[in-house]
Amino acid sequence: MIFVTVGTQVQFDRLIRTVDEWAGAHARSDVFAQIGPSNYPFKHIRTERFIDPSRFKSCVEAASVVIAHAGMGSIITALELGKRIIVMPRRACLGEHRNDHQIATAKQFAAQGRIEVAFDERELTDKLDQLDIINRCERLGGEASPQLITAIRTFIETGHVRSGPNSASA
């Protein structure tokens, strides 16, 4: 199964429409999407607006690949379960979010080699066409690194974040 999720806050018809059209062009009947507040008339995929957290986790577990917005919950859940994930960040200029933090999130995870990123519909279609060659990812550990714990502790105690081991607080 291919599981698609766009979160619950704002419509993301650009992602869902692209997957729906791709599924139709490739006669895929194994696509299920959590679509949020969308009114797009889907033709080729099964959809539900909202699903509860336990069903969300079950869908990710059952999926061969997850296609998602660049929301932290979607990314982290897929990585924790060792699932391949392709993300397409929402873009503020298209009214898909308040700002472009999802682009920054996608770039950070992609730089670590943990996710595939499609920044537009063409890239998403290309990545969907290559599903058979996208590697399965390693499971993300359930514990934070010592560096992250130190950075969070420093921020809580001082209100500042160090950008490097010898740098001044930001």
Side-chain angles (χ1 to χ4, degrees):
M1 172 185 71
I2 297 171
F3 177 54
V4 183
T5 180
V6 300
T8 60
Q9 294 181 1
V10 182
Q11 64 80 23
F12 196 14
D13 289 347
R14 186 168 59 102
L15 182 146
I16 298 294
R17 181 183 65 249
T18 302
V19 174
D20 187 54
E21 290 170 357
W22 176 84
H26 292 81
R28 295 293 294 248
S29 60
D30 62 339
V31 180
F32 172 68
Q34 176 273 312
I35 61 169
S38 176
N39 292 317
Y40 179 78
F42 305 99
K43 298 175 185 164
H44 309 287
I45 61 177
R46 294 174 294 119
T47 65
E48 281 189 42
R49 285 181 181 261
F50 305 104
I51 58 178
D52 65 51
S54 64
R55 178 130 186 255
F56 176 85
K57 185 177 178 186
S58 294
C59 287
V60 174
E61 287 174 333
S64 59
V65 66
V66 176
I67 313 297
H69 68 137
M72 290 298 293
S74 299
I75 293 171
I76 297 296
T77 301
L79 294 177
E80 284 178 337
L81 296 172
K83 297 299 178 168
R84 301 179 303 164
I85 183 168
I86 301 170
V87 301
M88 187 162 94
R90 296 173 181 268
R91 296 180 54 196
C93 67
L94 299 176
E96 296 167 343
H97 219 306
R98 297 176 300 279
N99 58 44
D100 284 329
H101 73 276
Q102 285 200 358
I103 293 172
T105 297
K107 286 179 179 178
Q108 283 290 343
F109 276 98
Q112 297 173 19
R114 294 195 170 272
I115 66 171
E116 292 286 323
V117 179
F119 289 100
D120 60 34
E121 298 90 332
R122 180 191 53 77
E123 286 184 10
L124 181 56
T125 299
D126 289 347
K127 291 190 183 296
L128 289 168
D129 286 342
Q130 298 175 20
L131 283 179
D132 293 336
I133 60 173
I134 296 174
N135 294 326
R136 187 173 188 94
C137 70
E138 289 181 30
R139 283 183 178 251
L140 188 63
E143 295 182 15
S145 71
Q147 296 87 355
L148 178 59
I149 292 170
T150 299
I152 293 170
R153 183 173 287 126
T154 300
F155 179 75
I156 291 169
E157 292 172 355
T158 68
H160 299 283
V161 177
R162 290 183 181 266
S163 57
N166 298 320
S167 65
S169 297

